[in-house]
Amino acid sequence: VLAELMESFRPVFVDSVSNSFYAVPEEAIGVGSAFEGWSPREWDGVYRVLVMLNPPPGHAFCLELNSAGQLAARTFSVRVELVCTCKREQLGEKLLCFLHHSRKELQRKHQHSLLKTLCTSSYLDMEKTSHWFYQLVRSSWLHVPQSYSWHLVFQPCSWSCQLQLSKGKKSLMVEMLFGVRQEGSDIFVVSQPAEAQKGGSSTFVSSQPTKANFLPSTAWPEMYAVAEAKFFWHI
């Protein structure tokens, strides 16, 4: 059910951001024991999927490792850089370059860079991105076929999109995480406090915030769940 739902969401997401400069959601990946075919003794009953975010045209994501602390999982900052798109404009694409066009011209075309919408001091902000992603899922729900047969209730969360699907006696708890891939690998930095991961692995604990969470919203913890799942399948 969840796989079909995410497959339905994807084209709606892409269409929604096609004329904007928000991040571009890609195919969702199931993470955690529910998708690996096993369950820990105290599984919390939440199905989690990871939605990879790609930068929009004219932008690039650059991961910067934060200084080592006392946390089990490493954290990264996702710096957003502007890149030249003049060649694409010369090829006929209706795309202004954030580096080489005037601010007035960009404002006239209503083109707002990712830096002005989802970032704090040039770094991708987890809470701002979560709020945007929540609004994206909310506005997309009525455009997917599952909305005719399932009832959807959103759960408040500051770093992911949590929702409950119900139909008759059936009920599913879903958490949609989003993240950025480390180049050339199956390791991601994800929208989840480092305290919510045990050693950065695919084992998760409660999604509720903890008092120990003093990390800024620009600190994205590293997650190895996708790489672990591929390893299990290989074995």
Side-chain angles (χ1 to χ4, degrees):
V1 171
L2 182 55
E4 291 176 354
L5 174 63
M6 297 312 301
E7 188 65 25
S8 298
F9 266 131
R10 186 183 179 189
V12 182
F13 288 165
V14 173
D15 183 66
S16 298
V17 302
S18 60
N19 295 318
S20 70
F21 285 90
Y22 288 104
V24 182
E26 294 295 325
E27 183 178 0
I29 306 170
V31 294
S33 59
F35 293 92
E36 292 169 0
W38 66 279
S39 294
R41 184 174 300 175
E42 297 180 359
W43 180 55
D44 59 8
V46 180
Y47 292 88
R48 292 181 175 87
V49 294
L50 171 63
V51 180
M52 184 177 71
L53 299 179
N54 282 334
H59 300 75
F61 290 152
C62 300
L63 300 185
E64 297 178 353
L65 178 63
N66 295 324
S67 56
Q70 300 300 318
L71 299 173
R74 299 193 304 174
T75 63
F76 288 77
S77 296
V78 183
R79 189 177 77 254
V80 177
E81 293 184 345
L82 296 177
V83 296
C84 180
T85 56
C86 291
K87 289 185 178 180
R88 295 180 60 174
E89 186 180 5
Q90 293 171 3
L91 294 174
E93 295 189 35
K94 296 180 180 179
L95 185 67
L96 295 181
C97 180
F98 287 102
L99 292 178
H100 300 116
H101 284 81
S102 67
R103 182 177 300 178
K104 289 184 178 180
E105 190 173 8
L106 291 170
Q107 290 176 345
R108 182 169 57 86
K109 294 292 185 179
H110 303 289
Q111 299 198 35
H112 300 286
S113 73
L114 187 66
L115 289 166
K116 295 184 179 296
T117 54
L118 301 182
C119 293
T120 298
S121 301
S122 301
Y123 291 95
L124 195 63
D125 189 291
M126 189 186 303
E127 292 188 5
K128 291 180 181 180
T129 306
S130 176
H131 178 72
W132 160 75
F133 193 73
Y134 165 82
Q135 296 296 338
L136 180 63
V137 174
R138 192 181 186 91
S139 63
S140 300
W141 172 243
L142 294 179
H143 298 282
V144 299
Q146 286 80 359
S147 63
Y148 296 101
S149 56
W150 289 83
H151 177 65
L152 178 65
V153 176
F154 287 94
Q155 306 293 332
C157 185
S158 61
W159 62 80
S160 65
C161 183
Q162 298 184 14
L163 47 92
Q164 181 178 16
L165 291 167
S166 59
K167 181 173 65 173
K169 295 182 179 180
K170 293 182 179 180
S171 181
L172 293 173
M173 291 296 298
V174 181
E175 183 174 25
M176 300 170 65
L177 305 170
F178 44 88
V180 177
R181 183 193 295 272
Q182 292 192 27
E183 185 176 1
S185 74
D186 289 314
I187 300 175
F188 291 78
V189 295
V190 297
S191 59
Q192 193 174 50
E195 288 81 5
Q197 300 187 48
K198 295 181 179 179
S201 72
S202 59
T203 302
F204 297 87
V205 294
S206 172
S207 298
Q208 298 302 317
T210 63
K211 293 183 180 180
N213 180 24
F214 296 113
L215 287 176
S217 58
T218 54
W220 297 66
E222 194 172 44
M223 187 183 75
Y224 317 114
V226 178
E228 288 177 352
K230 288 190 175 183
F231 174 76
F232 292 151
W233 294 334
H234 175 73
I235 296 298

